[in-house]
Structures are given as C-alpha cells and as structure tokens.
Amino acid sequence: MKNILQQLSERQSLSEAEMQDAMDHIFSPEVTDSEIAAFLIGLKTKGETVEEIAGIVHSLRKRSMKFNKKIPNILDNCGTGGDGSKSFNISTTSAFVIAAAGIPVAKHGNRSVSSKTGSADVLEHLGINLNLSVERTEEILDEIGIAFLFAPHVHPQIKRIMKVRQDLRIPTTFNLIGPLINPVQLDHQLLGIYRRDLVEMFAEVLQTLGRKRAVVLNGAGYMDEASLQGDNYLAILKDDRITARTLHPEEVGLSVYSNEEIRGGDSKENAEILYKVLKGEKGGYRETVLLNAGIGIFTGGKANSIREGVKAAQEIIDTGAALNKLEQLIQLSKISKEKVI
C-alpha cells in the first residue's frame, strides 16, 4: 500500500491492472482507514484517468452480488447525484417510462445524495422491497422488464470504504462511480453527472466497460439530470464513437422551466410527484421526465433521435403504460417479501 500511495503522491497514474491490484489492498483487513483516506485523497488530487476508474469499477463489481443471467439490451439510468438541486426523483420516474418502451431497466440506486429523497427512499415508500435476492431480481426483470438494485444491498463489501468517504466530507472518486458499478452486465447506459468537465471522460469509461450505446450528460445548472432550464451538455457513445453536443429542451418540443420549479420534498411528496407524472399531469415535472426518458429511449435504441424518444415517452405516459410498470413492480415486490437475502 505504501508504494501505491507514494505513486499517487508523485502524481503518477496507475494502469487498469495496477488499480485493480491497489483495490485488492484496499479491501485487505490490514489496511487502515487512514490509508484508505490517503488513497482517496491522493487519487482526487492527482486526477483520475479512464484506466484508473475502469480498474476501480472492475474491482468493485467483482465483489458485488453475482447476477449471472444475461438479459439483452438492458439499461440503467442512474445518475451520480451530488448536484445539490433538491430535485424530485427524475431518473426513478423516467425509468418506468423507459421500461414501458420495451427497454429492460436494471435501476441501480441509493438513498438521498443531492435531493431530499433518493431513489431507494421513494421506492421504499411506495412499498417496493429493496433487498430481494439475485434470483428474484432476475425473475422480475424477465417478467416485467424493470427491477431496482439497492446499492448497499448488492455491494455488501464496500461499507468500510463508504464510511471513510463519508468521514472525509469532501467529494472523491467514490462520489462519482455509483452508476458505473451496477452488478448487472449492461448493454446501454444513461448516466447523469454533476461535473461537466468529466462528461466526455465518463463516456470513454463506458466505452472501456463495453457499453454498446450510452449517453453521459450534465444538465443546465450543472444538474446530474437533463434540465429544462437551458442547454444540456451530452457525450453520446454510438457505434464505438463518442460525439459531444448540446441539447436545449425547445429543440425537442419541450418548454423551459427553471430548476427551482422541479424541486422535490420528502419521500411522501416525491412519491406523489412520481404518481402524478405517470398519471399524465401536465407541467414542469412531466416535461422533465419526458426529456430524460426520451434520452433514455434513444440510448436504449428504441428511437432514432432524442426528439423521437421524447414523443415516444409522451405516448407511453398518456396510454398508462408507464404507470402499469410501476404498479407491476409494487405488486411483485409485495409478493416477494419472503424471497430476500
């Protein structure tokens, strides 16, 4: 561990293999919390590379719960959080729309980060079981095309690292990699990130991790979701090429709303917002979901453009298909209460 910390202190980058070796040390009981903290700070100070992040991801996924069933064309739309926007649960609401478009969604998530209520908080309020077994999660994915993976449940070995990260009280690499360590092998990914300077780099990471198609975005106002407030910055991975572009909501037929107009509340309030959107209520919450779900539908290959994806999202909500996905997940989760680890 001393050599690794020395290398980072001298601003020398690690190869992907070296990073996986470093992570093996991090998980060793002989390594102290101080050494883990020094590792996190050293990596942050030096600046992470694509190879280093990929090495961390491979190491963490190796230690997660094992999802062995290959479901084709599966997608996650988890964001990093950390933008401080206090928005409602945009990606969680959008996930049901994306799933209803025929794209299997393995929604990775956690409790609150940048909003008052994280995806896990609102889904738990709705009665969805956060601690299903691998087998039951795969069954639900097969049956209805959407399942939720609660990060602390599917990554039981990283509690110590997360505690050190929280004790540091400053953002590190581990505040950003949550969306990358979904234990399900993804084909597609929509990843919102609160740091605009890392958008293209994270698209390169997803390319390295083998995604067929992906969009990494930073929203107007530096949200980790696409925003109606103005220009959003996107890096699109398609056909093994990455292209960057900006996207304004008016380009895809949507209105402009400020980020303050889509703030959420506690788990009860956010669950109510989620239901209202999926039931078709008009306004800024709905249009924010249309934008994010539209990008997700494009990412999953069910639309040839984001504008076409937004139009599909409108139809999906208005026919009740997205609401039906939510109700199916709630019902199957209730049935599954016994099938937990």
Side-chain angles (χ1 to χ4, degrees):
M1 196 65 201
K2 180 182 177 181
N3 292 337
I4 294 164
L5 295 178
Q6 183 70 32
Q7 194 167 337
L8 292 177
S9 71
E10 294 172 358
R11 297 183 181 272
Q12 297 177 25
S13 296
L14 306 178
S15 69
E16 187 174 324
E18 286 173 331
M19 179 55 79
Q20 290 194 56
D21 182 57
M23 291 300 295
D24 287 340
H25 287 289
I26 289 292
F27 280 100
S28 167
E30 286 78 30
V31 170
T32 66
D33 286 358
S34 296
E35 287 175 310
I36 295 173
F39 172 78
L40 296 177
I41 295 297
L43 193 58
K44 174 185 173 67
T45 302
K46 180 189 70 65
E48 308 87 344
T49 66
V50 169
E51 291 77 15
E52 287 170 339
I53 294 173
I56 293 171
V57 170
H58 285 307
S59 178
L60 295 180
R61 290 188 74 251
K62 183 171 67 177
R63 291 171 169 85
S64 68
M65 290 170 59
K66 303 303 177 191
F67 288 79
N68 299 313
K69 190 167 189 177
K70 177 58 180 168
I71 298 172
N73 301 316
I74 197 161
L75 174 145
D76 187 11
N77 69 327
C78 174
T80 61
D83 62 12
S85 67
K86 297 181 171 57
S87 60
F88 76 106
N89 298 101
I90 298 167
S91 63
T92 305
T93 310
S94 301
F96 294 103
V97 184
I98 296 167
I103 301 164
V105 176
K107 181 72 173 72
H108 196 233
N110 209 332
R111 299 201 183 276
S112 174
V113 178
S114 57
S115 60
K116 292 182 182 178
T117 306
S119 56
D121 302 302
V122 72
L123 292 174
E124 191 172 51
H125 181 83
L126 291 167
I128 291 169
N129 192 339
L130 302 182
N131 299 304
L132 294 176
S133 68
V134 168
E135 293 75 20
R136 186 55 185 156
T137 301
E138 290 177 333
E139 287 173 7
I140 290 173
L141 269 170
D142 257 349
E143 188 170 343
I144 63 170
I146 185 169
F148 181 75
L149 290 82
F150 182 40
H153 177 61
V154 298
H155 303 287
Q157 294 189 39
I158 66 172
K159 290 179 182 177
R160 186 180 175 205
I161 297 175
M162 292 300 102
K163 182 184 180 303
V164 173
R165 189 203 78 179
Q166 290 164 359
D167 288 345
L168 283 172
R169 299 189 180 184
I170 60 170
T172 69
T173 311
F174 281 76
N175 292 76
L176 296 166
I177 62 170
L180 300 174
I181 61 173
N182 190 321
V184 173
Q185 185 56 52
L186 304 172
D187 288 319
H188 308 301
Q189 189 154 5
L190 168 57
L191 194 164
I193 186 168
Y194 69 90
R195 284 182 55 182
R196 185 159 296 191
D197 61 311
L198 294 178
V199 167
E200 289 172 270
M201 178 183 174
F202 266 60
E204 290 179 36
V205 173
L206 292 180
Q207 185 178 33
T208 299
L209 295 175
R211 304 294 187 263
K212 294 177 182 176
R213 194 163 174 174
V215 174
V216 181
L217 65 83
N218 175 260
Y222 299 97
M223 287 185 69
D224 75 321
E225 312 276 3
S227 165
L228 300 170
Q229 184 168 282
D231 285 331
N232 300 275
Y233 188 73
L234 282 65
I236 300 169
L237 169 63
K238 183 182 175 186
D239 299 327
D240 210 32
R241 292 182 58 208
I242 296 169
T243 55
R245 62 163 295 186
T246 58
L247 177 71
H248 193 280
E250 291 176 338
E251 293 178 51
V252 291
L254 298 173
S255 305
V256 173
Y257 286 84
S258 72
N259 291 340
E260 287 71 28
E261 293 177 88
I262 59 162
R263 287 190 171 177
D266 61 20
S267 57
K268 181 176 183 294
E269 291 172 294
N270 281 12
E272 289 171 356
I273 293 169
L274 186 153
Y275 259 116
K276 286 177 181 178
V277 169
L278 297 188
K279 286 180 177 178
E281 184 175 290
K282 303 291 194 293
Y285 294 124
R286 170 189 165 97
E287 294 211 18
T288 300
V289 170
L290 291 178
L291 179 57
N292 284 273
I295 297 171
I297 292 167
F298 165 76
T299 305
K302 292 290 185 178
N304 293 319
S305 67
I306 294 172
R307 188 181 187 92
E308 189 180 304
V310 169
K311 184 178 179 182
Q314 291 172 330
E315 294 172 358
I316 286 163
I317 291 175
D318 291 341
T319 59
L323 180 61
N324 184 53
K325 286 292 178 189
L326 169 62
E327 291 172 341
Q328 285 179 313
L329 184 57
I330 292 170
Q331 183 59 32
L332 287 176
S333 184
K334 286 177 179 176
I335 292 169
S336 308
K337 286 293 184 184
E338 305 302 319
K339 299 184 178 183
V340 298
I341 291 178

